[in-house]
Amino acid sequence: MSQKEKVTLTLPSEVMDVVREEAEPRGYSKFIAEAVTYYIQEQRRLALRERLIAGYQASAERDQALAEEWRPLENEVWPEYSDRAEERE
């Protein structure tokens, strides 16, 4: 079990009203810990997504050039492969 640390937070009354509605009695700490953990994970996921998008965009031109380089061979082989696949059906 992870260690716990006692902290004091000041939250808007409206937020605490919702916490009181949603959390089990005497379970506010657990509820808030889960909410903060979820928020952190979501922020990290969004940051990773943004880094992946930036990486894809940065390499898009190179990837397109590579695809174009292989296109003649693909066009040569694909009809033969496609015909074999249809024969098996």
Side-chain angles (χ1 to χ4, degrees), residues 67-84:
E68 290 302 322
E69 185 178 324
W70 282 89
R71 189 164 320 281
L73 181 60
E74 183 179 305
N75 290 338
E76 180 181 322
V77 174
W78 178 249
E80 182 181 325
Y81 173 80
S82 179
D83 291 342
R84 286 189 204 164

Side-chain angles (χ1 to χ4, degrees), residues 30-46:
K30 180 181 176 189
F31 183 88
I32 291 171
E34 289 174 354
V36 170
T37 300
Y38 175 81
Y39 177 82
I40 291 168
Q41 290 172 342
E42 186 66 11
Q43 291 301 306
R44 288 178 178 170
R45 186 187 69 77
L46 290 172

Side-chain angles (χ1 to χ4, degrees), residues 18-32:
V18 174
V19 169
R20 287 184 192 97
E21 288 175 12
E22 298 294 325
E24 297 288 323
R26 315 245 329 127
Y28 301 155
S29 291
K30 180 181 176 189
F31 183 88
I32 291 171

Side-chain angles (χ1 to χ4, degrees), residues 5 24 49 65 67:
E5 184 175 335
E24 297 288 323
R49 185 176 195 281

